[in-house]
Amino acid sequence: MSRWRHLRWWLAAFVASLLSFLALWLPALFAGDGAVGCAGYGPLPLGLAELWYDLEETWLDLRQHVESTYGRYLALNALPMVSVLLSGVVAASSKRWLGTVVGLVAALVVAVVALHWAFMAFSYFLLLTCGGWEGNVPWMVWRLLPMVGFGSAVVLLIGGVRVRGAALARPGRRS
C-alpha cells in the first residue's frame, strides 16, 4: 500500500467540509426568511424544556463572541475546511504522533462546528413543532445539511487518523 493512500480520507473530509460551507448560500434559492414564531419550546416536557433553555443559553453565550459579525460567521464555518487541510498537510509530512494529534484536534474543531449546526437545527425543529411546518421544510433541511456534512467530515478525519496510524505501525512499511 502506498504511503500516501491514507490521504484520501483527508480529501473526502475536505470535500464534505467544503460542501457544507457552500450550503450556507442555499437559502438564496428558496423564498421566505425561515422565521417561525412560537412561545415556548414546543413538545418538550417542562423539566426538559428548562434544561434545553439553559443549555441553549450557555451555547449562545459561548458562540456570541465568534458569531457577532457576518465575516466571523463565515470564518466559523470555514474553520473546518482550514483545519482539515492543515491536518492533511501535517499527516502527509510528519511523524506518527504529530499527525495523530493534529488530526484529532482538527476532528474536534469540525465537531464543534457540527454541534453548532445541531443546536440550530434542534432549536428550529422545536419552533416548527409549535409554529407550523408550512413552507418551512427547506429551512429545516438547510439547518440539517451543514450538520450532516461537518459530522461526516469528523467521521472521515477519525477514519483517516486510524488508517494512517495502522499503515505506519505495520512492520516493513515503506517510507
Side-chain angles (χ1 to χ4, degrees):
M1 182 158 111
S2 169
R3 175 180 181 212
W4 305 103
R5 193 162 183 188
H6 64 273
L7 290 179
R8 64 183 173 195
W9 291 85
W10 272 269
L11 179 62
F14 180 77
V15 169
S17 297
L18 177 65
L19 291 176
S20 297
F21 181 74
L22 293 177
L24 293 175
W25 284 272
L26 279 178
L29 301 177
F30 41 91
D33 63 357
V36 176
C38 184
Y41 281 97
L44 291 178
L46 184 60
L48 193 55
E50 290 174 7
L51 177 66
W52 173 253
Y53 177 77
D54 291 341
L55 186 62
E56 187 178 38
E57 286 297 313
T58 303
W59 184 253
L60 287 173
D61 289 343
L62 287 173
R63 71 180 190 198
Q64 178 182 5
H65 302 293
V66 175
E67 245 185 24
S68 60
T69 65
Y70 188 69
R72 288 183 184 164
Y73 178 74
L74 288 177
L76 170 74
N77 289 289
L79 191 59
M81 289 184 309
V82 173
S83 63
V84 169
L85 190 60
L86 182 64
S87 72
V89 168
V90 170
S93 62
S94 70
K95 301 289 183 202
R96 180 178 178 184
W97 67 270
L98 183 61
T100 300
V101 169
V102 173
L104 293 177
V105 168
L108 182 64
V109 167
V110 178
V112 167
V113 176
L115 183 64
H116 162 76
W117 282 98
F119 272 105
M120 286 182 65
F122 190 68
S123 296
Y124 194 71
F125 172 77
L126 291 176
L127 291 175
L128 288 179
T129 55
C130 72
W133 284 82
E134 297 108 27
N136 292 314
V137 172
W139 291 94
M140 184 67 206
V141 172
W142 174 65
R143 284 169 172 81
L144 288 173
L145 278 176
M147 179 189 73
V148 170
F150 290 135
S152 299
V154 169
V155 171
L156 290 165
L157 273 172
I158 291 173
V161 167
R162 292 190 67 199
V163 168
R164 178 181 182 271
L168 292 176
R170 237 182 277 134
R173 65 177 172 86
R174 288 183 288 171
S175 295

